[in-house]
Amino acid sequence: MLANSNAAANLAVKDLARAKTFYEGTLGLRQVDDMAGELVVYKSGDTVINVYHSDFAGTNKATAVTWNVGDEIA
């Protein structure tokens, strides 16, 4: 079911403005969405990277990924 769905990485950062400088200026990624200054979405190939503000960034030992799927039940 997920084999044909695009996945998106979710990255927490403490300083979203600083992260934007890095992802746009250093990595050259193109911003495709901004959700109230709390989440910035970047295009990377055929997928996206969600960069979001969190006071707990850097303390979580987990990895998050999101798959884009329709609302149909297969």
Side-chain angles (χ1 to χ4, degrees), residues 18-58:
R18 184 173 176 203
K20 286 179 72 166
T21 298
F22 174 74
Y23 286 101
E24 294 171 23
T26 304
L27 299 182
L29 297 180
R30 181 175 54 91
Q31 180 179 321
V32 294
D33 204 355
D34 184 333
M35 298 181 186
E38 290 294 314
L39 168 73
V40 178
V41 182
Y42 291 102
K43 183 80 170 153
S44 180
D46 291 332
T47 62
V48 295
I49 298 172
N50 300 313
V51 179
Y52 66 96
H53 171 259
S54 173
D55 291 332
F56 304 104

